[in-house]
Amino acid sequence: MQRPGQSGMHEDAAWSAGVRAGLLRADARLARKFDAGVPASTLVALRSRIVDAQVRAAWRRCLPAGAPLALFAVGGYGRGELFPFSDIDLLVLAAPAAQHAAQPALARFIALLWDAGLQASHAVRSAAQCTEAAADQTVLTALIEARALCADAGEERALQDAIAAERVWPPAAFFEVKWQEQRQRHARFGDTSDNLEPNIKDGPGGLRDLQTLGWLALRSFGQHGLGWMTESGRLGQDEAAALLRERDALCRLRYGLHLVAGRREERLRFDYQKTLAMRLGYQDDADSLGVEKLMQGFYRSAAIVRRIGDRLLQRFEEHFEGVAPAQVIDADFERRGEYLATRVADWLLRDPIHVFALFAAWAADAGLRGLHSQCARELAQALLQVPAYTEASVAQRDAFMRLLRGPQAVVTLERMARLGVLGRWIPAFQRVTGRMQFDLFHVYTVDQHTLAVLRNLAHFASGQQDDRFSVAHLIWPSLRKPELLLLAGLFHDIGKGRGGDHSELGAVDARAFCESHGLSEADTALVEWLVRNHLLMSVTAQKQDITDPDVIHRFAEMIADRQRLDYLYLLTCADIAGTSPKLWNGWKDRLLADLHTATRLALRRGLGQPVDVAERMAENREAARALLASEGHDTAAIDAMFARMPADSFLRSRPDQIAWQAAALQAAATDRIVVAARTIAGRDGLELLVHMPDQDGLFAALVIALDRLGMSILQARVLDAPGGNIHDTFHLQPVDLRQTPEPQQLAASLRTVLAGDLQRMLPARRAQPRHLRHFKVAAHLDFTEIAGGTRIGLVCTDRPGLLADVARVLREQRLRVHDARIATFGARAEDLLLVSDEHDTPLSPAQCDALRDALLAVLDGDSR
């Protein structure tokens, strides 16, 4: 077994080139079969056999007949499954002396495979070395599916003996470690399959979960496949059929993903979702995009795999630990260990109301881990008998409402959703189950977002103080009927995907549901109003100036009473925080809390008595004066501080902000440029004050400087102070929340920049993040003349440095900025800017046209 000579090397190269070409032709044929609808489970087996032939040929080319070495396929290849870009995992079994003698031939063998385009990974071990290596359960997992490629029966037995349960990993221990491995793997993905870019192979409910069940069956019972588990009674025929169906669906997604990616790729990344949807035949329609249908199919498949997989894992647990003795709960239920079970077989199938009784018993015992596997299977069989609420009896509707008013109401709704009951009871919820929205704003499917909102509401109800939500836990006790807020949360997005205004559609559904469940007209009207207006408070807070008494008065008129205000505030907080982990921040918390407080005071005062601007300014001035006096400042010093501040500061800022700004001015009384920053107590943001002589392009310079310092602007207020100074305040958040600068450090850095040549400052150039490239928002601008200038509404695709580029355009157009409200919704930027010309007058039509052209050139990327 020597290396080939020069001529042999040329022959090997020719052989590899021929095999590579043949494999490419074979893969092309398989791809055509895939596009023609041949099941992917068939194609992966065909590809495995095609590769088998070439691997055996390469082995025979390099190893002489009778050589004391055996070749096995292991891992997925051993299972006979090769996707278009799967690895080729091999084991060479040989005694140490034979290993040493065959080193040149084995090196040639592996080189041939790689040159032929087969990415082979291999291990060379003796039987004893296999036993030793199998102490690592991941190695054992690959070896238990070993399949002989060039080995006789004796060598196959030797490998099986080396990894036998008597030597390494007994079945019970193997079950425990694989179950723990699965829990850890799921945790890496947030314990949900409903991610925007899910992993088909390793994510919760993915192919790896199915493979884990197969490995456990093989190690525990020495049997392959689901058929044996069905015959032995460990798996129901309905369960087996569902798993096979979803396995085929997941295999098809993975096979297609490899094809469109052109490489081994297991994540359904944005880069490939649309292309894959088109390849699989999903088409857009009036209600949803083809890519959304593709993703909904995946999410539903993953949910079914998880649901049945959990039941099977519990059966494995019972197999090893034994059936726990029953502890009677009542006439209908009993505990078996830490699981809830029915006392009579098929009891759940007798009456749908028994299903609600099951969830009530589950909610009554917080120590239960879940449903007993047999009970869970019986529940799955009973699902088809659970009617839609419109077809249900009064007793069944009453039973549902008791769950909503009972203990662990939100946990119960989550369980009902996960096990398919909620979708049966409310068909509209089933339609949004697994429904994704192809954007970056909604990072969860509609159903998972809804459940996240409900969990947030449950958190508010717990009374636990949380710095993320400053007043929610204080407002919750004022709710007259908390279950009405849960219903509003359940229905607020249920109208999505029907082609109309989801708030209106959801409000109609909510009213129908409440009426059918016997709620009073007043309660029904409140839930309907909350669903219809669930975006009102968020839009008002983020897009309007809530320091303006007129804005508060108009908002209070729409709210009308304190009860609606409290319910809507809690729903709004829960909704925003449940949309994306990154969306909720301290600034939004403060904004909504301020809006709630201002509206509550307006309602208490009476809608017929709106707040006078002068009165509000006087109140804020005196409150700030009291704060400064408590810090030791005398009247004369306070008057001097206030004299340097714009009059509008006493209308647009809270008393604590006024006092902080005034103290910052006094501390730097002799400085030409005053820059001060502070953290927002208990929150993840910074407040910034800049007070300095005005000059053209100053706002642009500030925005560009903050962008270069890694700060994102959430809100900017630009005011003119006495003596030709500006008095600008900003709410900031670090672009990278892991790198929040110290306030003094930020202030010092910005002060240094502002002391330089501001006209030479240009925005930083940055590459657009990968995930933003797939979401193009058409740029839209509108101009509205209002008191104080021209308000610009800007909608476009978000990107790094966007506001800095916009500010540069405004500087070049010689325009002044007076106010800026910055909002980002995933890939969508929605900014409001109040600008004027150099004389503080609104823009002329010609100026608007010129500004529109310049901004569109930047927003469309022409200037980059």
Side-chain angles (χ1 to χ4, degrees):
M1 293 184 283
Q2 301 296 320
R3 291 185 181 276
Q6 193 70 25
S7 62
M9 293 177 66
H10 288 305
E11 291 174 2
D12 280 355
W15 183 89
S16 293
V19 170
R20 178 186 285 270
L23 288 172
L24 289 173
R25 290 191 297 270
D27 281 338
R29 289 195 302 271
L30 293 176
R32 289 193 294 271
K33 289 178 180 290
F34 175 82
D35 291 332
V38 175
S41 54
T42 299
L43 298 177
V44 294
L46 281 174
R47 189 166 190 275
S48 180
R49 289 200 291 271
I50 292 168
V51 170
D52 283 354
Q54 303 307 326
V55 172
R56 288 190 178 106
W59 180 264
R60 289 193 294 266
R61 186 176 182 86
C62 299
L63 279 297
L69 299 95
L71 181 66
F72 294 87
V74 295
Y77 183 32
R79 198 166 52 247
E81 295 179 358
L82 280 184
F83 288 83
F85 291 93
S86 292
D87 283 342
I88 313 298
D89 295 325
L90 300 168
L91 169 69
V92 177
L93 185 67
Q99 296 175 26
H100 179 74
Q103 280 182 357
L106 291 175
R108 177 188 172 201
F109 166 65
I110 296 300
L112 276 177
L113 296 181
W114 276 86
D115 290 344
L118 295 172
Q119 297 182 2
S121 61
H122 72 291
V124 182
R125 298 188 179 109
S126 66
Q129 289 169 333
C130 285
T131 303
E132 182 180 349
D136 180 342
Q137 60 88 8
T138 61
V139 174
L140 175 65
T141 301
L143 293 179
I144 60 175
E145 294 187 303
R147 178 170 55 89
L149 292 174
C150 296
D152 58 32
E155 290 163 329
E156 290 186 66
R157 284 194 300 272
L159 177 58
Q160 292 304 313
D161 289 345
I163 59 172
E166 295 78 17
R167 295 178 181 271
V168 61
W169 287 109
F174 187 70
F175 164 73
E176 287 294 338
V177 74
K178 296 307 288 188
W179 197 2
Q180 177 64 18
E181 178 187 65
Q182 177 163 301
R183 287 193 291 263
Q184 292 173 347
R185 176 166 47 80
H186 285 187
R188 292 203 309 271
F189 297 95
D191 203 34
T192 179
S193 57
D194 298 302
N195 295 304
L196 286 180
E197 295 181 306
N199 191 302
I200 300 174
K201 179 182 176 183
D202 292 324
L207 286 167
R208 184 67 80 205
D209 283 10
L210 290 169
Q211 292 161 5
T212 296
L213 296 174
W215 295 327
L216 291 175
L218 187 58
R219 193 61 171 171
S220 302
F221 310 115
Q223 299 289 336
H224 286 272
L226 299 177
W228 176 84
M229 295 184 70
T230 304
E231 294 170 3
S232 65
R234 290 178 170 83
L235 182 68
Q237 291 186 349
D238 56 328
E239 294 172 317
L243 288 179
L244 288 172
R245 181 184 67 243
E246 304 312 333
R247 175 185 177 276
D248 285 346
L250 293 173
C251 281
R252 183 161 180 78
L253 283 174
R254 189 184 181 201
Y255 202 102
L257 180 58
H258 279 210
L259 292 179
V260 300
R263 61 186 180 87
R264 185 178 61 180
E265 176 60 73
E266 312 302 351
R267 284 179 63 196
L268 272 172
R269 298 161 70 103
F270 295 131
D271 311 57
Y272 311 120
Q273 287 178 9
K274 285 187 174 180
T275 307
L276 181 58
M278 288 188 290
R279 185 154 193 165
L280 296 183
Y282 292 98
Q283 298 181 345
D284 299 350
D285 58 35
D287 292 336
S288 57
L289 301 174
V291 65
E292 293 172 344
K293 297 174 186 176
L294 167 83
M295 298 304 293
Q296 186 171 40
F298 166 76
Y299 296 133
R300 289 181 171 179
S301 292
I304 291 171
V305 169
R306 289 198 72 178
R307 192 183 305 164
I308 299 176
D310 286 346
R311 297 204 294 264
L312 282 177
L313 288 171
Q314 189 184 137
R315 289 171 202 162
F316 277 109
E317 182 183 32
E318 292 166 2
H319 170 77
F320 291 116
E321 295 186 359
V323 178
Q327 296 177 299
V328 175
I329 297 175
D330 56 27
D332 302 316
F333 301 103
E334 62 188 20
R335 282 185 65 131
R336 296 187 190 173
E338 296 177 302
Y339 296 100
L340 178 65
T342 53
R343 298 190 64 193
V344 178
D346 297 334
W347 183 77
L348 292 177
L349 298 170
R350 297 179 185 178
D351 189 334
I353 203 170
H354 292 173
V355 171
F356 296 119
L358 173 70
F359 283 96
W362 195 355
D365 187 345
L368 289 167
R369 281 177 59 185
L371 299 179
H372 186 271
S373 61
Q374 191 58 39
C375 181
R377 181 184 176 192
E378 192 173 306
L379 175 61
Q381 294 171 330
L383 275 182
L384 293 179
Q385 297 181 26
V386 175
Y389 76 86
T390 53
E391 308 298 325
S393 67
V394 172
Q396 291 164 352
R397 295 173 186 170
D398 289 345
F400 180 83
M401 289 305 299
R402 284 195 296 274
L403 291 175
L404 210 59
R405 296 179 178 120
Q408 301 192 83
V410 170
V411 173
T412 296
L413 289 173
E414 287 188 275
R415 291 166 174 168
M416 296 177 75
R418 186 176 71 251
L419 296 173
V421 176
L422 196 58
R424 292 288 303 174
W425 186 248
I426 307 175
F429 186 82
Q430 179 60 27
R431 287 197 290 273
V432 297
T433 296
R435 181 179 181 82
M436 63 95 71
Q437 297 166 86
F438 194 67
D439 59 40
L440 290 176
F441 180 56
H442 301 89
V443 303
Y444 304 116
T445 55
V446 176
D447 59 312
Q448 291 303 311
H449 162 67
T450 298
L451 296 176
V453 170
L454 294 175
R455 283 193 295 272
N456 287 333
L457 294 176
H459 179 61
F460 301 158
S462 71
Q464 297 176 5
Q465 189 167 355
D466 185 339
D467 287 342
R468 295 177 304 150
F469 305 99
S470 55
V471 297
H473 66 290
L474 300 175
I475 293 174
W476 182 274
S478 70
L479 301 187
R480 182 173 54 87
K481 295 182 178 179
E483 70 271 17
L484 302 182
L485 187 53
L486 297 184
L487 283 173
L490 183 59
F491 279 88
H492 80 286
D493 273 357
I494 209 165
K496 286 192 169 179
R498 300 191 217 165
D501 183 335
H502 78 278
S503 299
E504 292 292 335
L505 295 170
V508 172
D509 286 359
R511 169 165 281 278
F513 184 89
C514 292
E515 289 176 343
S516 72
H517 285 75
L519 273 67
S520 68
E521 172 55 30
D523 291 347
T524 297
L526 175 59
V527 175
E528 177 187 24
W529 184 89
L530 287 168
V531 174
R532 177 173 285 113
N533 293 281
H534 72 272
L535 297 174
L536 173 62
M537 195 168 197
S538 173
V539 170
T540 301
Q542 296 184 74
K543 295 190 176 183
Q544 298 191 49
D545 184 358
I546 62 172
T547 64
D548 185 337
D550 289 339
V551 170
I552 297 299
H553 186 71
R554 288 194 300 271
F555 180 70
E557 286 182 323
M558 290 185 281
I559 298 296
D561 64 56
R562 172 68 184 273
Q563 176 183 247
R564 282 183 173 182
L565 175 64
D566 289 345
Y567 276 90
L568 183 59
Y569 168 77
L570 293 171
L571 180 59
T572 302
C573 292
D575 188 18
I576 296 174
T579 299
S580 165
K582 298 179 180 179
L583 194 60
W584 184 260
N585 54 42
W587 177 70
K588 288 190 173 81
D589 176 48
R590 181 73 266 167
L591 206 61
L592 289 170
D594 286 350
L595 179 55
H596 178 272
T597 299
T599 308
R600 175 172 55 80
L601 294 175
L603 292 171
R604 179 188 296 174
R605 184 186 184 97
L607 295 177
Q609 303 180 58
V611 175
D612 180 72
V613 170
E615 180 184 346
R616 171 64 59 82
M617 293 174 69
E619 288 178 356
N620 286 342
R621 180 186 292 267
E622 292 311 307
R625 181 184 294 276
L627 290 174
L628 288 166
S630 70
E631 295 173 0
H633 300 284
D634 59 32
T635 300
I638 295 173
D639 288 341
M641 297 179 206
F642 286 173
R644 297 180 63 188
M645 298 175 67
D648 270 0
S649 287
F650 299 96
L651 176 65
R652 307 300 183 191
S653 301
R654 298 190 310 273
D656 69 290
Q657 293 173 310
I658 296 169
W660 170 69
Q661 293 168 20
L665 291 178
Q666 187 195 47
T670 60
D671 293 346
R672 177 173 168 272
I673 299 175
V674 179
V675 181
R678 67 171 181 171
T679 56
I680 302 173
R683 297 178 177 87
D684 51 2
L686 294 170
E687 192 171 353
L688 176 72
L689 167 69
V690 177
H691 183 102
M692 63 182 291
D694 195 8
Q695 58 180 289
D696 290 338
L698 179 55
F699 179 77
L702 283 167
V703 171
I704 293 170
L706 289 169
D707 177 60
R708 286 181 172 273
L709 291 170
M711 303 303 295
S712 175
I713 297 173
L714 302 175
Q715 182 182 30
R717 178 150 286 139
V718 182
L719 300 176
D720 292 328
N725 291 303
I726 57 96
H727 189 91
D728 295 357
T729 56
F730 299 84
H731 283 280
L732 307 173
Q733 181 172 279
V735 174
D736 185 349
L737 293 176
R738 298 168 299 180
Q739 299 180 13
T740 302
E742 291 296 325
Q744 295 81 0
Q745 175 189 354
L746 176 67
S749 298
L750 187 58
R751 196 179 298 113
T752 300
V753 171
L754 294 176
D757 185 352
L758 303 186
Q759 298 303 317
R760 296 175 63 86
M761 291 184 62
L762 294 174
R765 302 292 96 180
R766 295 191 185 93
Q768 188 178 40
R770 175 190 64 82
H771 59 277
L772 288 176
R773 296 198 298 267
H774 307 284
F775 300 94
K776 182 68 174 176
V777 178
H780 175 75
L781 296 165
D782 64 71
F783 297 82
T784 306
E785 185 175 324
I786 63 173
T790 299
R791 185 179 65 199
I792 305 172
L794 180 155
V795 177
C796 65
T797 305
D798 188 33
R799 57 172 168 78
L802 172 65
L803 185 59
D805 279 344
V806 171
R808 176 174 58 83
V809 170
L810 296 175
R811 180 176 67 186
E812 292 169 351
Q813 298 284 316
R814 305 184 68 80
L815 302 178
R816 307 186 69 185
V817 180
H818 300 278
D819 197 22
R821 303 182 71 80
I822 314 304
T824 303
F825 305 95
R828 181 184 180 92
E830 295 187 10
D831 299 345
L832 291 172
L833 304 168
L834 179 61
V835 305
S836 70
D837 64 13
E838 295 176 288
H839 307 291
D840 292 334
T841 58
L843 307 189
S844 67
Q847 287 175 308
C848 288
D849 290 342
L851 179 58
R852 183 190 303 276
D853 291 342
L855 284 174
L856 287 176
V858 168
L859 301 181
D860 291 336
D862 294 345
S863 67
R864 303 177 84 82

Short mmCIF file of all heavy atoms in Angstrom, two decimals, residues 4-17 61 112:
data_model
loop_
_atom_site.label_atom_id
_atom_site.label_comp_id
_atom_site.label_asym_id
_atom_site.label_seq_id
_atom_site.Cartn_x
_atom_site.Cartn_y
_atom_site.Cartn_z
N PRO A 4 0.91 6.28 -5.16
CA PRO A 4 1.06 6.04 -6.59
C PRO A 4 2.21 6.86 -7.15
O PRO A 4 2.57 7.91 -6.61
CB PRO A 4 -0.28 6.51 -7.17
CG PRO A 4 -0.77 7.53 -6.20
CD PRO A 4 -0.31 7.06 -4.85
N GLY A 5 2.80 6.38 -8.26
CA GLY A 5 3.84 7.14 -8.92
C GLY A 5 3.25 8.31 -9.68
O GLY A 5 2.06 8.61 -9.59
N GLN A 6 4.14 8.96 -10.51
CA GLN A 6 3.69 10.14 -11.23
C GLN A 6 2.52 9.83 -12.14
O GLN A 6 1.53 10.56 -12.19
CB GLN A 6 4.87 10.70 -12.05
CG GLN A 6 4.63 12.09 -12.60
CD GLN A 6 4.62 13.14 -11.51
OE1 GLN A 6 5.20 12.95 -10.47
NE2 GLN A 6 3.92 14.23 -11.75
N SER A 7 2.63 8.72 -12.88
CA SER A 7 1.53 8.36 -13.79
C SER A 7 0.28 8.03 -13.00
O SER A 7 -0.85 8.36 -13.40
CB SER A 7 1.95 7.17 -14.66
OG SER A 7 2.21 6.03 -13.84
N GLY A 8 0.48 7.36 -11.84
CA GLY A 8 -0.68 7.04 -11.02
C GLY A 8 -1.38 8.28 -10.50
O GLY A 8 -2.61 8.32 -10.39
N MET A 9 -0.61 9.32 -10.21
CA MET A 9 -1.21 10.56 -9.73
C MET A 9 -2.05 11.21 -10.82
O MET A 9 -3.13 11.74 -10.55
CB MET A 9 -0.12 11.52 -9.24
CG MET A 9 0.61 11.03 -8.00
SD MET A 9 1.96 12.12 -7.50
CE MET A 9 1.03 13.60 -7.05
N HIS A 10 -1.55 11.13 -12.07
CA HIS A 10 -2.36 11.67 -13.19
C HIS A 10 -3.64 10.86 -13.36
O HIS A 10 -4.70 11.43 -13.63
CB HIS A 10 -1.53 11.65 -14.48
CG HIS A 10 -0.44 12.68 -14.52
ND1 HIS A 10 -0.67 14.03 -14.33
CD2 HIS A 10 0.90 12.55 -14.72
CE1 HIS A 10 0.46 14.69 -14.42
NE2 HIS A 10 1.45 13.82 -14.65
N GLU A 11 -3.51 9.54 -13.19
CA GLU A 11 -4.71 8.69 -13.30
C GLU A 11 -5.71 9.02 -12.19
O GLU A 11 -6.92 9.06 -12.44
CB GLU A 11 -4.30 7.22 -13.25
CG GLU A 11 -3.53 6.74 -14.45
CD GLU A 11 -3.03 5.32 -14.28
OE1 GLU A 11 -3.33 4.73 -13.22
OE2 GLU A 11 -2.34 4.82 -15.19
N ASP A 12 -5.19 9.25 -10.98
CA ASP A 12 -6.09 9.61 -9.87
C ASP A 12 -6.79 10.94 -10.16
O ASP A 12 -8.00 11.08 -9.90
CB ASP A 12 -5.29 9.74 -8.57
CG ASP A 12 -5.01 8.39 -7.93
OD1 ASP A 12 -5.51 7.38 -8.46
OD2 ASP A 12 -4.29 8.36 -6.90
N ALA A 13 -6.04 11.88 -10.70
CA ALA A 13 -6.64 13.18 -11.00
C ALA A 13 -7.73 13.04 -12.05
O ALA A 13 -8.81 13.65 -11.95
CB ALA A 13 -5.56 14.16 -11.47
N ALA A 14 -7.44 12.21 -13.07
CA ALA A 14 -8.45 12.00 -14.11
C ALA A 14 -9.68 11.30 -13.53
O ALA A 14 -10.83 11.61 -13.87
CB ALA A 14 -7.85 11.18 -15.25
N TRP A 15 -9.41 10.31 -12.65
CA TRP A 15 -10.53 9.59 -12.03
C TRP A 15 -11.39 10.54 -11.21
O TRP A 15 -12.62 10.53 -11.32
CB TRP A 15 -9.99 8.47 -11.14
CG TRP A 15 -11.06 7.63 -10.52
CD1 TRP A 15 -11.63 6.51 -11.04
CD2 TRP A 15 -11.70 7.85 -9.24
NE1 TRP A 15 -12.59 6.01 -10.19
CE2 TRP A 15 -12.66 6.82 -9.07
CE3 TRP A 15 -11.56 8.80 -8.26
CZ2 TRP A 15 -13.47 6.73 -7.95
CZ3 TRP A 15 -12.36 8.73 -7.13
CH2 TRP A 15 -13.30 7.70 -6.97
N SER A 16 -10.75 11.38 -10.40
CA SER A 16 -11.50 12.32 -9.56
C SER A 16 -12.29 13.30 -10.42
O SER A 16 -13.44 13.64 -10.10
CB SER A 16 -10.55 13.08 -8.64
OG SER A 16 -9.96 12.21 -7.69
N ALA A 17 -11.67 13.76 -11.49
CA ALA A 17 -12.38 14.71 -12.36
C ALA A 17 -13.61 14.05 -12.99
O ALA A 17 -14.67 14.67 -13.09
CB ALA A 17 -11.44 15.22 -13.45
N ARG A 61 -9.84 1.44 -5.20
CA ARG A 61 -8.72 1.98 -5.98
C ARG A 61 -7.48 2.15 -5.11
O ARG A 61 -6.34 2.03 -5.59
CB ARG A 61 -9.15 3.33 -6.57
CG ARG A 61 -8.14 3.95 -7.53
CD ARG A 61 -8.69 5.24 -8.12
NE ARG A 61 -7.74 5.78 -9.08
CZ ARG A 61 -7.66 5.44 -10.36
NH1 ARG A 61 -8.50 4.54 -10.85
NH2 ARG A 61 -6.76 5.97 -11.17
N LEU A 112 -8.65 11.55 -2.87
CA LEU A 112 -9.49 11.26 -4.03
C LEU A 112 -10.91 11.77 -3.83
O LEU A 112 -11.52 12.36 -4.74
CB LEU A 112 -9.52 9.75 -4.29
CG LEU A 112 -8.38 9.12 -5.09
CD1 LEU A 112 -8.57 7.61 -5.16
CD2 LEU A 112 -8.34 9.70 -6.50
#
